[in-house]
Amino acid sequence: MKAIKISNLQKAYGSALVLKDVNLEVDSGEIIGYIGPNGAGKSTTIKILIGMIPDYAGSVEVMGFDVKTNPLEVKRLIGYVPENASLYDTLSPMEYLRFLGSLYQLETDQIEEKATELLRLFALYDQRDDRMTTFSKGMKQKVLLISGILHNPKVIFLDEPLSGLDANAVILVKEILSQLKHAGKTIFYSSHIMDVVEKISDRIVLINKGTIIANGTFDELKSQRETGSLEQIFNQLTGNNEHIQLAEEFIQVMNR
Amino acid sequence: MINFYIKILFLLRPIFLGLGVNFEQIVAIVEVKLKIDNRRARFNQWNKKQSESNGTFFLMLGLYFLMACAISAFIYFSASIIAIYSLIFAVMMFMLAMTLITDFSAVILDSNDNAILLPRPIDDRTLLIARITHILMYLLSMMLALAIPFLVVTMHLYGVLAAISFLLISLLSLILIVFLTNIFYLVLMQFTSEERLRNVINTFQIILTFTFMGGYRLVGRLVNFDALMNGVDSKVHWWHFLVPPIWMGNCMNIIIKHEFDSTKFLFLFLTLTMPFLVVFLVNNVFSGVFNQKIAGMDIAKRQEKIPNKTSKKGLVETLSSIFTGTSMERGTFEFVWKITSRDRKFKLRIYPSLVYLLIYPVFMIGTGRGDGSFVQQIEHLRESTGMGIVVIYLCGTVLLTIRSQISQSEDFKAAWLYELAPIGKPGEILSGSLRAIMVKFLLPITLLLSLVLSVIWGVNLLDDLLFGMLTIINLDLLLSIGMSNELPFSTEIKKNGGGSFIRNMTYFFITGIIGFIHYLMMQVPYVIGVFMVIQLALALFLFKKYREVAWEKVRME
């Protein structure tokens, strides 16, 4: 069984077609690096996969369940950490996680025990009963990461999960991701930080203007192009190589 | 509409320049704020679109207009110019003040745009005046909706000069009340540190609400039914000088009756100068610390530990396990309980409403006929059980008021978790939220009320209390099951007034009618008892139904 199976997915907002015929299959235990320029349709794909956007054309299955007909089953099996997400920050991390756990109908004792341990691992143990209004972006991001995996999901969707984290936390999260993979979890990783994607992904999927334009391991992508890093490949495939000229113009306009 | 407001601003340009503020910045800030108010992004699962609507605001204006029409009829019957116009100005100023405190406090004390505005070269005075101007635009509309019926009747009865004077005095009263309220806030800011400010602001709002209600009651002492019919005695008491509507009523008397003496002159003088004095005070004396204090409002202190540690089972957890059934209900119960205790903006919006809902009964007791002592008035009350019923239903209205506010939050974007989590029936969330509100707010009020009722009317009203609360709960459940619902803390705070005050008044009206039916039923023995059983059964049934509410009945914003 495929962890994720997308066939002929289309999604339009009004008359604007955001996703045009997306096809993608992901095996269990894979880390997929899902990249693409701003507005390419990355977030839309993820939101469809996790059942937040139910009106689309085509078929989308997660762990064998159709997202449209079985959204609750899918939601139980997935975890999601959105980009720059808000949380109810008048609550403490423990209270927030308790609430979230109750929505997943987990046992209170189990939530508390797990949440306490996970907070300890992220060095937030001492702040577990503080209101999150005082938290830095990185601390909130840690809470969000925990909230995405608290219910032990099978497929984990991460949207720019490292944003705001300090270098130590980044190393820790990267290590956690690779351990999760060994534990058989599927990870769908979306980011703009190319060297991280390059390093952690088993497979890289590049989407541009609503279509997948590249899909393969980093080495496969590299062999198709001469250039070295993922950043350069990305720029070649989706950019217009005008960045030097654009930067010059930028300075000129500013100086006017 | 925005263009109209901006045109008004340009008409007032000399005044702004006179205040020494940066006019261009004021226009820019006010224009963009009005635009944002109109353009509350509304996205839900099915379609992302922007709706530009001001429906509730215009509805509110319409209600104000109708209310003013009703009151304006009294101008024809009134024997005393002073009495009727004092009453009119008191009504207008009171409505504006209450709207200002309940709906616009959050706008004045807004810290959302700190990151955008504070790093820019905008001085304290300009930012403060821009905020006040923003609110003034809405209050001006309300003032006009209220004033137009009076204006027409005044013109009809007393001619163009009186009408123009009325309009001018109305505008002065608007300026007076808006800047006066702000002076209270600013003085408070002056003397408290940022983090104390966050804690005392609710207490302060309550005091402010009291003060304005007290002022309103003073007018009531001058203007009662007798005075309207037979005229007031011409004696001027010292407290007349404390109550602006009375100055203004006297001014109208000068203009219409051409009676003029030294005390009358003093009233005229106060009417004409006080608004400018408060503007001067706000602008030149108290605006200095505004930016700094606003900036400090959101910098929370580290020490904000949550008292009950998670290791121990706290009060909330105990209550939630008693009063809820499913795990989602329990989670939501605790969630709603905690956020309502901590969300500053929620408290800013809800506490003033609570105060006037709970204080109204006390004032009504005070309005009992005659000026007898407190004991005498209580004696008097005992004779009318109808009054007890009124009090029960007024207090019950609290439930409806809080319920209407519970979906709004500054953190509404965090509501994505409702869409992420495997929630089969959002009814469980809604029912958890209702239970929390009932236990946290309605239950203590009911207990307190049972004490008050027993002392004044004896224990025989207690079954009526139970019946009344059941009726209100059932009413709320019926409305919720029948209409579309919003999940707790999932929608944006309505900035352009949202009409909390007028909505509360509408609830008063509805519960008033139900209370009257209750009163009629009381006249027949055993009827309440029989219906109590029916109400109880209905409540149990509705609670079950409410838990089943499906996603189709839920609106996500």
Side-chain angles (χ1 to χ4, degrees), chain B residues 16 38 64-66 79 94 135 239 255 284 302 390 434 531:
Chain B
F16 284 103
N38 265 6
Y64 279 167
F65 183 79
L66 288 178
F94 183 68
I135 296 169
W239 51 265
I255 291 150
N284 296 33
R302 276 289 145 118
V390 170
L434 171 62
F531 274 87

Side-chain angles (χ1 to χ4, degrees), chain B residues 244-281:
Chain B
I246 297 181
W247 317 336
M248 293 166 178
N250 276 288
C251 284
M252 288 307 291
N253 196 47
I254 295 173
I255 291 150
I256 294 168
K257 289 260 180 83
H258 307 291
E259 287 167 10
F260 204 74
D261 59 41
S262 58
T263 44
K264 294 272 187 296
F265 175 78
L266 197 54
F267 283 126
L268 182 65
F269 178 76
L270 284 171
T271 306
L272 294 179
T273 53
M274 284 310 280
F276 296 102
L277 179 68
V278 286
V279 172
F280 173 81
L281 286 174

Side-chain angles (χ1 to χ4, degrees), chain B residues 44 59 66 74 86 105 117 120 123 135 151 162 164 240 246 273 318 349 358 362 371 407 470 483 502 526 532:
Chain B
N44 57 30
L59 183 70
L66 288 178
F74 284 99
S86 296
S105 285
L117 292 181
R120 316 289 168 196
D123 59 61
I135 296 169
L151 198 66
I164 292 173
H240 287 185
I246 297 181
T273 53
T318 317
R349 279 177 292 129
L358 294 179
V362 178
D371 275 333
S407 72
L470 275 173
M483 297 197 299
I502 196 80
Y526 302 118
M532 181 95 83

Side-chain angles (χ1 to χ4, degrees), chain B residues 362-556:
Chain B
V362 178
F363 276 110
M364 291 184 47
I365 292 170
T367 31
R369 213 153 289 184
D371 275 333
S373 71
F374 185 68
V375 182
Q376 277 174 313
Q377 295 209 7
I378 295 288
E379 284 294 327
H380 198 84
L381 266 178
R382 249 180 213 152
E383 290 158 26
S384 69
T385 42
M387 211 58 187
I389 302 300
V390 170
V391 173
I392 291 172
Y393 281 88
L394 279 178
C395 289
T397 313
V398 167
L399 177 71
L400 303 177
T401 302
I402 298 176
R403 288 274 282 162
S404 69
Q405 295 279 337
I406 204 76
S407 72
Q408 296 179 32
S409 165
E410 208 179 4
D411 287 329
F412 72 102
K413 282 188 180 132
W416 58 272
L417 59 89
Y418 293 126
E419 289 178 280
L420 177 70
I423 301 168
K425 293 204 180 83
E428 290 186 38
I429 308 236
L430 294 168
S431 130
S433 164
L434 171 62
R435 282 155 198 249
I437 298 169
M438 279 172 53
V439 177
K440 185 171 179 180
F441 297 100
L442 198 61
L443 188 63
I445 290 172
T446 308
L447 291 177
L448 184 74
L449 201 55
S450 66
L451 202 72
V452 174
L453 291 177
S454 310
V455 168
I456 300 182
W457 288 281
V459 285
N460 58 341
L461 268 188
L462 290 187
D463 58 336
D464 294 289
L465 172 65
L466 191 61
F467 185 82
M469 291 303 167
L470 275 173
T471 310
I472 283 169
I473 292 167
N474 283 342
L475 174 73
D476 178 278
L477 281 165
L478 275 173
L479 289 173
S480 306
I481 294 169
M483 297 197 299
S484 80
N485 291 274
E486 286 160 343
L487 295 175
F489 313 115
S490 70
T491 61
E492 202 174 348
I493 297 171
K494 295 181 178 71
K495 287 266 165 60
N496 56 10
S500 315
F501 180 66
I502 196 80
R503 189 176 41 231
N504 289 340
M505 292 298 130
T506 319
Y507 289 151
F508 267 3
F509 185 68
I510 296 170
T511 47
I513 292 172
I514 297 172
F516 183 65
I517 296 171
H518 181 150
Y519 184 71
L520 293 181
M521 284 164 69
M522 272 170 79
Q523 308 309 313
V524 189
Y526 302 118
V527 166
I528 293 291
V530 172
F531 274 87
M532 181 95 83
V533 178
I534 298 174
Q535 289 278 35
L536 256 173
L538 184 65
L540 291 177
F541 172 74
L542 288 175
F543 259 111
K544 236 178 129 187
K545 268 266 169 273
Y546 192 43
R547 213 186 248 171
E548 313 267 290
V549 167
W551 276 111
E552 285 72 41
K553 284 268 177 71
V554 170
R555 222 149 46 92
M556 288 292 283

Side-chain angles (χ1 to χ4, degrees), chain A residues 11 13 47 50-55 71-72 75-76 78-82 85-92 94-96 98-108 111-112 126-131 133-136 139 144 147, chain B residues 45-48 298 300-306 308-311 317 320 326-332 334-335 338-339 341-344 409 411-425 428-429 488-490 551:
Chain A
K11 168 70 195 166
Y13 288 125
K47 282 188 179 157
I50 62 172
M52 269 171 133
I53 303 177
D55 62 329
L72 288 189
K75 285 177 179 182
R76 263 183 214 116
I78 54 134
Y80 172 49
V81 180
S86 314
L87 25 76
Y88 289 106
D89 57 13
T90 44
L91 298 178
S92 73
M94 283 303 285
E95 291 169 338
Y96 182 76
R98 269 180 69 124
F99 174 54
L100 205 73
S102 78
L103 296 183
Y104 284 92
Q105 292 170 308
L106 305 176
E107 289 293 321
T108 315
I111 304 169
E112 294 211 335
D126 291 336
Q127 285 88 33
R128 70 190 190 286
D129 291 323
D130 290 357
R131 294 187 197 184
T133 32
T134 62
F135 280 22
S136 67
M139 289 157 85
L144 281 168
S147 78
Chain B
Q45 291 163 302
W46 290 279
N47 54 333
K48 290 189 179 209
D298 271 10
K301 275 271 169 185
R302 276 289 145 118
Q303 296 92 303
E304 274 190 296
K305 284 268 181 204
I306 282 132
N308 50 326
K309 287 277 178 199
T310 34
S311 48
E317 286 74 19
S320 76
T326 68
S327 128
M328 250 184 244
E329 259 184 5
R330 179 182 48 72
T332 314
E334 293 169 16
F335 172 65
K338 283 168 184 162
I339 295 208
S341 314
R342 292 183 206 155
D343 184 353
R344 190 168 54 81
S409 165
D411 287 329
F412 72 102
K413 282 188 180 132
W416 58 272
L417 59 89
Y418 293 126
E419 289 178 280
L420 177 70
I423 301 168
K425 293 204 180 83
E428 290 186 38
I429 308 236
F489 313 115
S490 70
W551 276 111

Side-chain angles (χ1 to χ4, degrees), chain B residues 136-346:
Chain B
L136 263 176
M137 297 290 106
Y138 289 113
L139 291 176
L140 183 66
S141 313
M142 288 177 207
M143 169 59 94
L144 290 178
L146 282 169
I148 284 170
F150 302 130
L151 198 66
V152 171
V153 175
T154 307
M155 180 119 77
H156 179 216
L157 283 178
Y158 305 113
V160 181
L161 183 67
I164 292 173
S165 314
F166 178 78
L167 186 64
L168 285 179
I169 297 173
S170 301
L171 292 176
L172 287 175
S173 74
L174 172 67
I175 291 172
L176 180 66
I177 202 79
V178 170
F179 282 82
L180 196 63
T181 310
N182 278 293
I183 280 192
F184 284 124
Y185 280 130
L186 289 165
V187 168
L188 186 74
M189 281 183 174
Q190 210 85 9
F191 295 110
T192 48
S193 66
E194 289 84 344
E195 64 280 9
R196 286 242 337 123
L197 183 62
R198 272 182 295 128
N199 299 329
V200 297
I201 197 89
N202 292 127
T203 323
F204 178 72
Q205 281 184 306
I206 293 168
I207 296 170
L208 205 55
T209 309
F210 258 119
T211 315
F212 285 132
M213 288 185 102
Y216 189 67
R217 278 284 297 136
L218 278 180
V219 177
R221 243 176 93 177
L222 175 80
V223 188
N224 48 31
F225 194 71
D226 258 12
L228 282 181
M229 287 301 124
N230 310 321
V232 279
D233 63 69
S234 52
K235 204 171 155 228
V236 175
H237 294 276
W238 62 271
W239 51 265
H240 287 185
F241 292 97
L242 296 179
V243 193
I246 297 181
W247 317 336
M248 293 166 178
N250 276 288
C251 284
M252 288 307 291
N253 196 47
I254 295 173
I255 291 150
I256 294 168
K257 289 260 180 83
H258 307 291
E259 287 167 10
F260 204 74
D261 59 41
S262 58
T263 44
K264 294 272 187 296
F265 175 78
L266 197 54
F267 283 126
L268 182 65
F269 178 76
L270 284 171
T271 306
L272 294 179
T273 53
M274 284 310 280
F276 296 102
L277 179 68
V278 286
V279 172
F280 173 81
L281 286 174
V282 165
N283 187 57
N284 296 33
V285 181
F286 295 117
S287 64
V289 289
F290 186 68
N291 278 359
Q292 179 208 331
K293 297 283 178 174
I294 287 288
M297 291 280 281
D298 271 10
I299 303 170
K301 275 271 169 185
R302 276 289 145 118
Q303 296 92 303
E304 274 190 296
K305 284 268 181 204
I306 282 132
N308 50 326
K309 287 277 178 199
T310 34
S311 48
K312 271 181 283 167
K313 227 178 162 205
L315 170 74
V316 185
E317 286 74 19
T318 317
L319 288 174
S320 76
S321 57
I322 297 173
F323 288 100
T324 62
T326 68
S327 128
M328 250 184 244
E329 259 184 5
R330 179 182 48 72
T332 314
F333 184 99
E334 293 169 16
F335 172 65
V336 168
W337 186 293
K338 283 168 184 162
I339 295 208
T340 49
S341 314
R342 292 183 206 155
D343 184 353
R344 190 168 54 81
K345 294 271 168 74
F346 177 79

